[in-house]
Amino acid sequence: MRFTDLRHLNGPNVFTSSPVVIARLELDEQTRRETTDAAGFADRLTALLPGLASHHCAAGRPGGFLEAMARGTYFGHVTEHVALELSGLAGRDVHLGRTMRAGADGRYDVMMECPQDEPADSPVPGDLIRLALQIVHDLIGTGTPVFAAELDGIAAVCERERLGVSTAAIAAAARQRGIPVRRVAGRSLLRLGYGCHQRLVCAALTSQSSAVGVDIAADKQLSKELLARAGIPVAAGVVAWSADEAAAALAELGAPVVVKPLGGSHGAHLTIGVRTAAEAAGAYRKAAAAGDAALVEQLVPGTDYRVLVIDGRIAAAAQLRPASVTGDGTRTIGQLVAAANTDPRRGAGHSRELTLLRLDADAVSHLHSLGLDDHSVPADGQAVTLRRNANLSTGGTSKDVTDLVHAEVADMCRRAAALSGLDICGIDLRLADIAAPLHDPAGRGLAQPCAVLELNACPGLRMHLSPAEGQARDVAAAVVDSLYTPGEEARIPVISVTGTNGKTTTVRMIGQILRQAGLRAGLSCTDGVYVGGRLAYAADASGPRSAEMVLDDPTVEAAVLETARGGIIRRGLGYDQADVAVVTNITADHLGDDGIDDLSELIHVKALVAEEIRAGGSVVLNADDPVVAALAGRPAVLAHAPVIRFFSMTPGNPVLSQHKNAGGACYEIISGQLTETEGGEQRPLLAVADLPGAYGGRAGHVVANALAAVAACRAAGVSAKDISRGLAAFTPSGENPGRGNVFRAGRTPVIVDYGHNAAALAATGRFVREVWGGSAVAAITLPGDRRDDLLVASAEAIAAWFGTVVLYEDSDKRGRQAGEMLNLIGAALAAARPGIRCVPAESPAEALQTALDLAGEGPVLFLYEKLGMAHDALAAAGAQPWPEGQGATGRDPTAGAAAGAQPWPEGARVTGQDPTARAAAGALDGTTADTSDAAGAAVANATAVVAGAAEAAEAAVADAASVVADAAIAAISDAADAGGAADASHAALAWQQERLAKGPDSAGPDGCDASADYDQASS
């Protein structure tokens, strides 16, 4: 058996909201073999790993996995359970797993849950899978696996990668409040919140901590001087720069003294109870190992305490006790230490509630001062300290005394923290009794010995979270409350957009509207990451890393995230929950990639966006797409009690009508206006005629994208006025590069688009025909990583609208051989439309120029894979942006003269006859229906004439073209005068007049249809 690949999904995914890994296994010689085929395998495995008996498996109860092995199950499934059991033995508290067939016999994907904050690049999951495979392999062969050393190594890595107690507690407290948490770079740094509301936390050090305060706390002598000047008692001390100076300081201060590094921490290099010059010299050398100087202080009598101050409030207080063991009259001190270290609460460093006890040189020296060593046997009940200092980092323990702190002590600690400027400060002090007053009521000074020993800028929290004695204090929640006061917002609005087509345009429209509303929007899409309308990172940025990039930006006030299928499958979502989820449409694309083989599986993946929303959030769905509309009823969506918002391009859509009757929010075209209906109240937002790039509604996919954007922005609380202004300013060339952009090469319109599947190409073909008519030419390339049947479907969509096609291959063949795509697409085009003219080209620039030569002045559709190369090709051809509405108003350049467009009918042959034409539907609101009736009738008449007799075809078409020209020009003029949907520019009107006046040579072989159905697609 082999392990070939591993994917980390760090965000919410189709399995769970927790991180998971997916391992690809090849069973090879064990393919189709079951546990029952290997005699005694199950018994040997259970004896080796008895914890497997508690695994539920699909049965949902303990013992379920053993039952599965008894019945017979494949070894990929066994590997999953062994890996999960090993994970638990290594200290990872995870339980979820699943084994899935991966497209071939013997090939399986094993999904395994990961700890919430485990680093994304952790080697642990892979090591567990490899060890599980080895154990299973050995047991099949009746061998005896030996794996203790390997498992110990994995456990050590787990321990090293684990968040410290303080940081983990803060992460848990933040999540409890619904605040997003993300570990940064596998370190102890956490990013809480999103965008402009984010905070950084590293243990108890926060982005609000004063840098000057940290420096003050790091310099023990500076801290002492600052506190002393404020009248806060400190231990008398002297800075020593040599062993002789340390001995002199001892003589000046009087024994006993403490010698410690000037900038040390965690009790390292500390010596307590120095009494002689020789001891002072030795203690200096020990302390100086951490720096050039040492601090020699009087040893203040009393007990060690730590008081935690957060934002000027006493959050907790603990009495600290040195590391110790208690004798039983039988075991030696060394044996007692070993027994104490088996406590699961103890671990190396700060990874657990308690630190491992160590019999190092300091401990041995301390025992020697007590007349003991590690072989001594203490009496039953005798407590033996292992060192003088009470730091938890050296094995000490704590007792909670928060409720005992005297008001005078509390006030002193608050003043000390304020002097440092630290938001979170640990005060180390030594005094006889923290519950007693500091000052003599008769005014004779201190009532008890007391000194503040140190200020700690990043105090450990574990002594308060898990004291060995007394009440645990939720100081992690107090830290979070200091960063976000109760009720304070930690999130920014997150709008996530998914679907097959229209994602990028919809995201850009939403971003434009949010900017109009005064928000600094962060946006991720297939062309890059944008912040405040400016490109910040150029890449295909529709995955989770790009989403994180937006959400991590501290200047971003709202996030709009294109969320593509590939990112969801390979890494999960880049956010925890969205406020608004948008699903534009779902059609067959990318099938065969990443284990997604059919539409139902694709729906399941994209549905995740609608399922991972905040409680009461909004889900925007396309009512014209049945599979998208059905998402509203998914249990995982309904679990969040969402507000469902439907949009539709279809008048009388039953889903929309039902939702509207129930008072739901609906978005549609009414009387030529993008209209919101909610609670029975209609609110017009923008005329279709004023939507740039919509061409009076003929670009139906653009209108549908705008409806989705409107619904999302209304869900986000944007005003109708800002939506109207934002969309009116959304010019395709400026705000939506590469999506339905129109250029002019000479007098030839060039439509540049990124369509790459059948639904999108059908919508684009209809758009080209309805706006420009004539014999359009397409210059196309298609992505080589699509399945052959999907490429054939895309070619058929092209053939339905274009009689001449120029083919070129992208520089990135995506696994295909040179020329393979040309042959495949060319054959598919010819099969779909016999007689179609296909011309090969070597590059995008050559393809575009060839298409221009073939088109004359007819329209050219130019499909690209890389926008930069497309722009280079346009520049080489001398193409300039089409002067839409004379370049400034954003209105349509043409009312579109060719009414009644239809695609080439499936199965039709080139016979010289046109497919049956339908009458023109007119503008979306019907206001220009009268002016377009003549055009529709003319086309219908032309169809009948052409169908009547082949010998009369040329004359009939010429006559019909003349009629169409006159009627269409009149319709355009009337509509323009009336300010209706067909608000044409003079340049486009002139172009259309010339095209129609040229007669039958300029007419297309197909009829026309002015209704711009969305067809679940967009550019």
Side-chain angles (χ1 to χ4, degrees), residues 246-259 271-284 296-297 299-301 369 388 430:
L250 169 63
E252 177 184 340
L253 298 171
V257 298
V258 177
V259 181
T271 306
I272 298 175
V274 174
R275 293 181 177 276
T276 68
E279 289 176 353
Y284 169 81
V296 183
E297 288 183 339
L299 178 58
V300 178
S369 70
R388 289 287 299 272
R430 192 171 175 87

Side-chain angles (χ1 to χ4, degrees), residues 35-58:
T35 49
T36 51
D37 296 326
F41 172 84
D43 291 338
R44 292 194 299 276
L45 179 59
T46 308
L48 186 70
L49 296 171
L52 291 172
S54 66
H55 287 213
H56 290 203
C57 199

